[in-house]
C-alpha cells in the first residue's frame, strides 16, 4: 500500500504562500516587505485554483510564489533593514530621555545606508535589458521632477530626479536619438531609439501640481529610490559609450537662475574642451577627432609606399561605407503585394533638420520642451525672453540673426493692444534703436510659426509649410505618430473624396436638401389665405374629417398610391437603362411635347434626381454584394461562421465610426465654405 499524502503539502498548496506567512518567515515588518519586493521585482500572483491553495477558505488573500520568498531569505538587504530597525529603537530611546545630541549622533554615524547596486546587476544582466525597462522609470522620474516638495517628497529627491532627467536629455541631444514626439492631454510623449531599443516616456505639462491625500507616497518613494539608481547606471554607460565624462559639470548658479539644460556642461573624455563643450559641442569634437584619426590612417598608408591601386581600394571602401548611410527603398515584388511605407529622410538629415535656423521663443510658449526638441534636431541657437531663465543664445527679440520666432497667441489688431509709452528721443544718432516686439510689429524676413509646427516637422521628418502654422491660423490636425490609419478607418490627412464609399456623398447631400426643405418655412399666398378663411367660416358638422364610410375617397387614395409605386418602379427601371436609350427616350418626349404644343418640364434632370439615382445604384450594388456574402457564409462550417460573425461585428463598428466622422467633416467643410462666402 502506497504512502498516504497529507492534504495541503503538495501541488498548488505548496507552490503558493500567503503574504502573512511570508512576512513571518522573513521576520520583517510589512512596510519593509513591500519595499523589498519592489526592489527585487517580486509581485503577488493569482493561483489558478484558489480553492485548493486556500484549503477551502473564501477570504480575500494575497499570494506569492513560495520560491520567490525563499529567494528573499538570502537577500543582504534583510540585514540592513534589521540594523535600521535597531538603530531607530536606540534613537527613539535617546529622544525619550531627552538626549538630542546622542540621537543626532546615532542617526549620522550608525544609520545604515541602503545600496541597490547589486540588485540592479541581478535584475538586468545586460545593458539592453536595462534599456527595455526604462520607459516606466523615465515617466516616474520626470513626474517627480515637476512636483513641488512637501513633507512626503523631500526637496533632495526632487533635485536628484531633475538632475538625472537633464543628464538623460543631454545624451539624447548629443546622440540625436530622439525620433518622435506627441502632444496629448496627459502630457508630452517622447520616443528615442537608443542602441536599437525604442524608449517611450511621458513628461507632464508644467502646471501647478496639487498632490491628493489618498496617494501612498511611501510606495512611490520606494520606486523612485530604485529608478534613480537605475537611471544613474544607464546615464553612466550612455555617456561613456560616446566618449563623454560622467557626471557632467553642474553649474549651481545657472541652475538657480533657471538654466536647466544649460546648467550642465558636457566634456569629452581625453579632450580639453573647457566650457565650450556645453550644449552638445562635445559630440562635434569627438567627430572631428575621429575624422583626424581616419586622415592619419590614410596618410600612414600613403607614406608606407603602397601603390595607387591600394589608395583607390581604400577610397572605394570609404565610398561604400558612406553609401551605407543612404536611405533604403522597399520595392514590391508583385502587383498585388502590399505597399511598404518608404522612409522619408535619413538619420543625418533628421539630426540636422533645424541646424540652419536660429529660433526665438516668445514668453507664452513652453520653453523646456521646445528647447529640448530644437536642440535634439540640430539647432544650436535658441533664444528666449530673459524671464524664462538663463542659458539663452539671445534675449533680444530684435536680434537680426533670428530666422524663426515661435508664438502662441493670435495676431490682434493695433486697436486692441494697450498704448505704448513714447520713448525719449536720443540727442545724437547713437541712441538705442527701436525694438520689434510681437504682436505689435514683426521683423522682415523672419518666419513666425506656432509651436505645433516643430512637432509636426520632426514627426514627418521634413520642414512643413510655415504659412499653415502662422499666428492665428487654424492648425492642421495634430495626430499621433504611432497610430497609423488602417484600411476602412477615417484618415483626417486624406481628402473625403478618397475615403467615401460609392454614393455616400450623394446621400449626404440629399439629406441636407431634405433637412433644408423641412426647416425652411413656406410663405402662404393671398389666395390660399382667402380659401382658408372661407373654409373656416363655412365649416359644418363632420366636415374636414376623414369618415370611414367615404369609400370613394379611399379608393382614389389607393389608386394614387399604386400609381406612385408604379412610377417609382419605372424610375428604377429607367435608371438601369443605358445612356443611349435614355437620350433616345428624352428626344422622343421633346418631339411629342413640340407636336402637342406643350412645354416639357426640364430636359436636364435636377441635381437632386442625379444624386438619388447614384445613391440607388450604390445601394443596389451593396445589396447584391451582401447577398453574395451571405450565400458564401452559409457554405462555411458553424465554427468558422461564428468567427466570421465576430469579425464582421468589429468591421461594422469601425465603418460606422468612420462614416460618422466623415459626416462631421463634411458638415464642418460646408460651414467653413459658407463662412468664407460671407
Amino acid at each position: 500500500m502506497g504512502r498516504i499524502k497529507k492534504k495541503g503539502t503538495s501541488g498548488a498548496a505548496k507552490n503558493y504562500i500567503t503574504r502573512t506567512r511570508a512576512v513571518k518567515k522573513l521576520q520583517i515588518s510589512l512596510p519593509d516587505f513591500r519595499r523589498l519586493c519592489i526592489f527585487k521585482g517580486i509581485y503577488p500572483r493569482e493561483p489558478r485554483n484558489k480553492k485548493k491553495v486556500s484549503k477551502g477558505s473564501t477570504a480575500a488573500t494575497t499570494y506569492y510564489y513560495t520560491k520567490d520568498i525563499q529567494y528573499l531569505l538570502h537577500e543582504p538587504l534583510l540585514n540592513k533593514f534589521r540594523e535600521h530597525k535597531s538603530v531607530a529603537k536606540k534613537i527613539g530611546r535617546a529622544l525619550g530621555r531627552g538626549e538630542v545630541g546622542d540621537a543626532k549622533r546615532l542617526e549620522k554615524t550608525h544609520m545604515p545606508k541602503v545600496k541597490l547596486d547589486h540588485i540592479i546587476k541581478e535584475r538586468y544582466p545586460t545593458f539592453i535589458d536595462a534599456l527595455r525597462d526604462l520607459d516606466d522609470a523615465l515617466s516616474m522620474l520626470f513626474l517627480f521632477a515637476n512636483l513641488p516638495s512637501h513633507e512626503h517628497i523631500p526637496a533632495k529627491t526632487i533635485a536628484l530626479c531633475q538632475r538625472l532627467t537633464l543628464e538623460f536629455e543631454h545624451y539624447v541631444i548629443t546622440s540625436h536619438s530622439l525620433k518622435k514626439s506627441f502632444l496629448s492631454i496627459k502630457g508630452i510623449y517622447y520616443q528615442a531609439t537608443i542602441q536599437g531599443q525604442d524608449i517611450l516616456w511621458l513628461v507632464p505639462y508644467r502646471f501647478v501640481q496639487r498632490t491628493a491625500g489618498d496617494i501612498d507616497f511611501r510606495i512611490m518613494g520606494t520606486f523612485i529610490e530604485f529608478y534613480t539608481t537605475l537611471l544613474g547606471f544607464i546615464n553612466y554607460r550612455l555617456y561613456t559609450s560616446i566618449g563623454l565624462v560622467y557626471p557632467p559639470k553642474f553649474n549651481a548658479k545657472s541652475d538657480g537662475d533657471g538654466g536647466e539644460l544649460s546648467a550642465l556642461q558636457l566634456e569629452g573624455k581625453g579632450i580639453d574642451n573647457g566650457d565650450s563643450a556645453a550644449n552638445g559641442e562635445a559630440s562635434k569634437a569627438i567627430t572631428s577627432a575621429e575624422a583626424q584619426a581616419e586622415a592619419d590612417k590614410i596618410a600612414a598608408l600613403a607614406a608606407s609606399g603602397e601603390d595607387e591601386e591600394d589608395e583607390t581600394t581604400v577610397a572605394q571602401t570609404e565610398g561604400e561605407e558612406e553609401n551605407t548611410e543612404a536611405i533604403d527603398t522597399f520595392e514590391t515584388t508583385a502587383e498585388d503585394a502590399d505597399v511598404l511605407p518608404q522612409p522619408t529622410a535619413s538619420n543625418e538629415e533628421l539630426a540636422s533638420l533645424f541646424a540652419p535656423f536660429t529660433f526665438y521663443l516668445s514668453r507664452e510658449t513652453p520653453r523646456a520642451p521646445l528647447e529640448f526638441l530644437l536642440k535634439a534636431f540640430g539647432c544650436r541657437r535658441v533664444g528666449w525672453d530673459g524671464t524664462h531663465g538663463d542659458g539663452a543664445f539671445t534675449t533680444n527679440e530684435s536680434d537680426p540673426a533670428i530666422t524663426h520666432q515661435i508664438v502662441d497667441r493670435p495676431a490682434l489688431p493695433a486697436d486692441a493692444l494697450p498704448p505704448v509709452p513714447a520713448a525719449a528721443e536720443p540727442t545724437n544718432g547713437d541712441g538705442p534703436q527701436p525694438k520689434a516686439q510681437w504682436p505689435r510689429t514683426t521683423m522682415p524676413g523672419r518666419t513666425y510659426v506656432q509651436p505645433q509646427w516643430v512637432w509636426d516637422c520632426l514627426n514627418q521628418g521634413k520642414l512643413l509649410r510655415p504659412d499653415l502654422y502662422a499666428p492665428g491660423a487654424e492648425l492642421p490636425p495634430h495626430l499621433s505618430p504611432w497610430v497609423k490609419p488602417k484600411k476602412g478607418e477615417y484618415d483626417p490627412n486624406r481628402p473625403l473624396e478618397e475615403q467615401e464609399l460609392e454614393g455616400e456623398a450623394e446621400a449626404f447631400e440629399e439629406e441636407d436638401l431634405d433637412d433644408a426643405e423641412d426647416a425652411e418655412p413656406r410663405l402662404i399666398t393671398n389666395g390660399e389665405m382667402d380659401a382658408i378663411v372661407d373654409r373656416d367660416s363655412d365649416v359644418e358638422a363632420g366636415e374636414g374629417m376623414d369618415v370611414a364610410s367615404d369609400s370613394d375617397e379611399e379608393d382614389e387614395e389607393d389608386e394614387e398610391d399604386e400609381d406612385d409605386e408604379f412610377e417609382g418602379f419605372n424610375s428604377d427601371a429607367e435608371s438601369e437603362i443605358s445612356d443611349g436609350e435614355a437620350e433616345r427616350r428624352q428626344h422622343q418626349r421633346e418631339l411629342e411635347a413640340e407636336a402637342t404644343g406643350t412645354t416639357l418640364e426640364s430636359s436636364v434632370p435636377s441635381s437632386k434626381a442625379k444624386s438619388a439615382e447614384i445613391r440607388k445604384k450604390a445601394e443596389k450594388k451593396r445589396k447584391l454584394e451582401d447577398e453574395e456574402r451571405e450565400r458564401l457564409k452559409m457554405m462555411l462550417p458553424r465554427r468558422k461562421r461564428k468567427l466570421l460573425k465576430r469579425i464582421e461585428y468589429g468591421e461594422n463598428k469601425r465603418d460606422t465610426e468612420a462614416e460618422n466622422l466623415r459626416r462631421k467633416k463634411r458638415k464642418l467643410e460646408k460651414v467653413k465654405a459658407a463662412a468664407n462666402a460671407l
Side-chain angles (χ1 to χ4, degrees):
M1 182 177 177
R3 191 173 184 179
I4 300 175
K5 290 185 180 181
K6 188 177 180 181
K7 187 177 180 181
T9 58
S10 63
K14 188 178 180 181
N15 294 335
Y16 294 92
I17 185 174
T18 62
R19 187 179 65 182
T20 304
R21 291 178 54 196
V23 171
K24 289 181 179 179
K25 193 171 186 178
L26 295 174
Q27 297 181 2
I28 56 176
S29 61
L30 182 58
D32 289 341
F33 174 74
R34 289 172 177 166
R35 190 181 180 192
L36 184 62
C37 289
I38 291 173
F39 289 156
K40 299 291 288 186
I42 296 174
Y43 301 97
R45 306 293 178 175
E46 186 70 17
R48 291 185 178 180
N49 195 338
K50 266 193 172 184
K51 191 174 182 181
K52 290 183 179 180
V53 176
S54 61
K55 302 177 183 180
S57 176
T58 58
T61 311
T62 304
Y63 294 95
Y64 292 86
Y65 281 143
T66 305
K67 290 185 177 180
D68 290 343
I69 303 303
Q70 291 176 349
Y71 175 67
L72 293 179
L73 287 172
H74 308 284
E75 175 57 42
L77 288 180
L78 286 175
N79 295 329
K80 293 289 183 180
F81 290 160
R82 290 163 184 159
E83 292 176 8
H84 186 279
K85 188 175 181 180
S86 63
V87 173
K89 285 183 179 179
K90 293 179 181 179
I91 293 175
R93 195 180 299 114
L95 291 175
R97 293 196 298 261
E99 300 173 354
V100 180
D102 292 344
K104 289 183 178 180
R105 179 181 55 81
L106 288 171
E107 184 178 6
K108 185 177 181 180
T109 59
H110 291 72
M111 186 65 71
K113 295 181 180 180
V114 178
K115 292 185 178 181
L116 307 178
D117 300 352
H118 66 285
I119 294 181
I120 300 296
K121 296 177 182 178
E122 288 177 4
R123 292 186 62 176
Y124 308 107
T126 62
F127 186 62
I128 298 299
D129 295 333
L131 290 178
R132 289 173 183 168
D133 202 22
L134 193 57
D135 297 356
D136 295 338
L138 284 176
S139 299
M140 181 74 80
L141 292 175
F142 273 101
L143 172 63
F144 269 71
N146 293 324
L147 288 179
S149 62
H150 57 88
E151 54 181 355
H152 299 291
I153 308 175
K156 187 177 180 180
T157 302
I158 296 176
L160 179 60
C161 294
Q162 290 175 353
R163 181 165 181 175
L164 289 173
T165 52
L166 290 176
E167 290 173 358
F168 180 77
E169 286 185 346
H170 263 297
Y171 170 79
V172 173
I173 292 172
T174 305
S175 61
H176 303 290
S177 304
L178 190 66
K179 301 302 179 184
K180 298 175 183 178
S181 181
F182 176 64
L183 298 166
S184 70
I185 298 177
K186 296 180 179 179
I188 305 176
Y189 286 93
Y190 298 97
Q191 183 183 10
T193 303
I194 301 175
Q195 297 188 8
Q197 301 298 321
D198 292 334
I199 301 172
L200 180 68
W201 71 94
L202 176 65
V203 179
Y205 295 113
R206 295 197 173 183
F207 298 136
V208 178
Q209 303 288 343
R210 293 184 176 87
T211 55
D214 56 347
I215 300 175
D216 193 349
F217 285 100
R218 178 182 294 179
I219 300 296
M220 299 183 69
T222 305
F223 277 102
I224 287 297
E225 186 178 357
F226 176 75
Y227 286 151
T228 51
T229 308
L230 173 62
L231 189 57
F233 272 93
I234 292 176
N235 285 345
Y236 170 77
R237 180 69 177 270
L238 292 177
Y239 271 60
T240 54
S241 64
I242 60 175
L244 295 178
V245 176
Y246 186 84
K249 287 186 177 180
F250 179 71
N251 190 343
K253 183 178 183 301
S254 177
D255 183 68
D257 294 338
E260 298 186 358
L261 285 174
S262 303
L264 298 178
Q265 298 177 358
L266 306 185
E267 287 185 344
K269 181 177 290 187
I271 301 174
D272 187 12
N273 289 326
D275 296 336
S276 63
N279 299 329
E281 292 187 7
S283 61
K284 184 177 179 182
I286 296 167
T287 306
S288 61
E290 293 174 354
Q292 184 64 35
E294 292 294 332
D296 296 340
K297 183 179 179 181
I298 296 174
L301 289 174
S304 63
E306 296 185 2
D307 53 1
E308 297 180 356
E309 294 181 358
D310 295 337
E311 296 180 1
T312 308
T313 305
V314 173
Q316 290 177 355
T317 306
E318 291 180 355
E320 291 177 357
E321 293 177 355
E322 292 177 358
N323 291 335
T324 56
E325 298 294 334
I327 303 176
D328 296 332
T329 56
F330 306 99
E331 298 179 357
T332 56
T333 57
E335 295 181 357
D336 55 347
D338 295 336
V339 179
L340 298 176
Q342 304 294 333
T344 56
S346 63
N347 293 332
E348 294 182 356
E349 293 176 354
L350 289 177
S352 59
L353 186 64
F354 301 126
F357 308 132
T358 301
F359 285 86
Y360 185 86
L361 311 179
S362 298
R363 290 184 300 171
E364 68 276 3
T365 57
R367 171 211 155 183
L370 285 174
E371 180 189 5
F372 173 56
L373 290 176
L374 293 173
K375 290 184 177 181
F377 282 83
C379 182
R380 298 178 181 273
R381 302 174 300 276
V382 183
W384 53 78
D385 191 85
T387 57
H388 268 310
D390 189 24
F393 170 74
T394 178
T395 57
N396 183 14
E397 189 176 351
S398 303
D399 193 337
I402 299 173
T403 59
H404 290 69
Q405 183 168 348
I406 301 177
V407 298
D408 198 16
R409 44 180 157 173
L412 300 176
D415 300 339
L417 299 173
V420 179
E425 296 182 359
T427 56
N428 50 14
D430 298 334
Q433 299 295 329
K435 295 184 179 181
Q437 298 291 337
W438 172 265
R440 296 186 178 277
T441 57
T442 58
M443 290 287 291
R446 184 181 298 182
T447 303
Y448 291 83
V449 292
Q450 299 188 45
Q452 185 181 329
W453 180 78
V454 178
W455 272 270
D456 291 350
C457 286
L458 64 93
N459 287 335
Q460 298 189 24
K462 60 181 180 180
L463 296 175
L464 302 177
R465 292 171 48 189
D467 58 318
L468 299 177
Y469 300 85
E474 185 175 355
L475 296 173
H478 181 59
L479 306 177
S480 172
W482 299 284
V483 179
K484 302 299 181 183
K486 300 178 182 179
K487 184 179 180 181
E489 293 183 351
Y490 173 72
D491 187 3
N493 289 329
R494 294 171 54 197
L496 286 175
E497 291 76 10
E498 298 180 2
Q499 305 183 61
E500 288 178 334
L501 301 176
E502 186 179 358
E504 184 178 343
E506 289 75 11
F508 180 80
E509 292 178 359
E510 189 175 353
E511 289 179 4
D512 282 356
L513 290 174
D514 294 340
D515 295 341
E517 290 177 359
D518 296 339
E520 183 179 357
R522 188 174 64 86
L523 298 176
I524 302 177
T525 60
N526 294 331
E528 292 177 352
M529 182 60 70
D530 296 339
I532 293 173
V533 172
D534 293 341
R535 184 172 179 81
D536 291 340
S537 60
D538 298 336
V539 169
E540 297 179 358
E543 186 177 351
M545 294 184 291
D546 294 336
V547 184
S549 61
D550 296 342
S551 58
D552 297 336
E553 294 180 0
E554 289 182 357
D555 295 339
E556 292 177 1
E557 291 177 358
D558 294 340
E559 291 176 0
E560 291 176 0
D561 295 339
E562 292 176 359
D563 294 340
D564 294 340
E565 293 177 0
F566 183 72
E567 289 176 0
F569 176 74
N570 288 339
S571 62
D572 293 339
E574 291 180 0
S575 63
E576 298 176 3
I577 62 178
S578 61
D579 296 339
E581 183 66 18
E583 293 178 359
R584 190 188 65 79
R585 292 187 182 184
Q586 181 67 18
H587 182 63
Q588 182 67 24
R589 294 194 195 99
E590 292 177 356
L591 292 178
E592 291 177 359
E594 185 178 356
T596 56
T598 59
T599 58
L600 196 64
E601 291 183 0
S602 176
S603 60
V604 181
S606 62
S607 60
K608 185 176 181 180
K610 283 184 178 180
S611 61
E613 183 178 353
I614 296 173
R615 181 179 55 82
K616 289 180 180 179
K617 285 184 178 180
E619 288 178 356
K620 186 175 181 181
K621 183 179 179 181
R622 282 194 291 268
K623 186 177 180 181
L624 292 175
E625 292 177 354
D626 293 341
E627 291 177 355
E628 180 67 16
R629 188 180 181 88
E630 291 294 331
R631 185 181 66 81
L632 295 175
K633 281 169 57 178
M634 298 306 296
M635 301 173 64
L636 294 174
R638 184 177 180 182
R639 182 180 299 176
K640 293 184 178 181
R641 194 161 58 245
K642 287 185 177 181
L643 178 60
L644 183 60
K645 188 176 180 180
R646 290 196 293 267
I647 294 174
E648 288 179 346
Y649 174 78
E651 290 179 351
N652 293 334
K653 185 177 180 181
R654 179 201 63 194
D655 294 341
T656 304
E657 292 177 355
E659 184 179 356
N660 293 334
L661 290 174
R662 288 195 297 267
R663 285 176 178 270
K664 291 181 180 180
K665 179 70 173 180
R666 186 168 289 278
K667 287 182 180 179
L668 187 62
E669 289 181 352
K670 191 174 182 180
V671 171
K672 289 181 181 178
N676 294 333
L678 295 177

